Amino acid sequence: MTAIATTGTVAVARPGKALNRTLWTLQILLGLFLIVASGLPKLVGQSDAVRIFHEIGFGDWFRYLTGLVEVAGGAGLLVPRLSGLAASGLSVTMVLAAATQAFLLGAPALAPFPLVLAVVFAWIAYQRRDSIAAVREMLPR
């Protein structure tokens, strides 16, 4: 069941209790994965990450940027007010990661994993659209 709530002038749907627990479980697991297993290795210069980003041809600055985006997105998934925006941004990031795997690294067999993550993040963003509406309400007009 979905509850309807109003934030200012915008009516938004909130997920039911079971769905909310499922979302938080996914957000925590994916957030920790992005921070610990994906973003931090890029930021600390783990050898595989360094090699892959040199193969892409963009060098260390792009590795640092990607690591920062993943760590920030993972942390954003863990903050209720930011979870929808973080999931939206991570969905785009994962589509770009899949394109990088398929076209720049010549490994299209590895592209489905980030594409599946992109769909999961898009679903989380949709379910957390109330948090996006709340952030929008806070912005100056």
Side-chain angles (χ1 to χ4, degrees):
M1 175 180 259
T2 302
I4 303 294
T6 19
T7 59
T9 59
V10 179
V12 293
R14 291 202 174 128
K17 192 173 185 178
L19 179 57
N20 192 45
R21 285 183 180 170
T22 302
L23 286 166
W24 275 114
T25 300
L26 272 174
Q27 286 171 233
I28 291 167
L29 291 173
L30 290 171
L32 291 174
F33 168 76
L34 285 167
I35 294 167
V36 175
S38 192
L40 283 179
K42 292 174 179 78
L43 293 176
V44 299
Q46 191 256 348
S47 62
D48 286 336
V50 172
R51 179 186 50 78
I52 288 170
F53 278 85
H54 282 282
E55 283 180 30
I56 293 170
F58 292 136
D60 288 336
W61 73 271
F62 193 63
R63 175 174 52 88
Y64 289 126
L65 177 66
T66 303
L68 188 63
V69 166
E70 289 177 350
V71 168
L77 284 176
L78 305 176
V79 178
R81 185 168 283 180
L82 300 176
S83 61
L85 288 174
S88 295
L90 287 167
S91 185
V92 172
T93 302
M94 292 301 124
V95 169
L96 295 173
T100 300
Q101 291 285 351
F103 302 115
L104 295 180
L105 291 173
L110 298 177
F113 179 68
L115 288 176
V116 168
L117 285 178
V119 170
V120 172
F121 288 131
W123 178 69
I124 291 171
Y126 176 76
Q127 294 297 331
R128 298 297 188 199
R129 62 193 179 277
D130 61 328
S131 70
I132 297 171
V135 169
R136 197 174 328 157
E137 289 286 325
M138 293 174 19
L139 296 175
R141 297 185 192 228

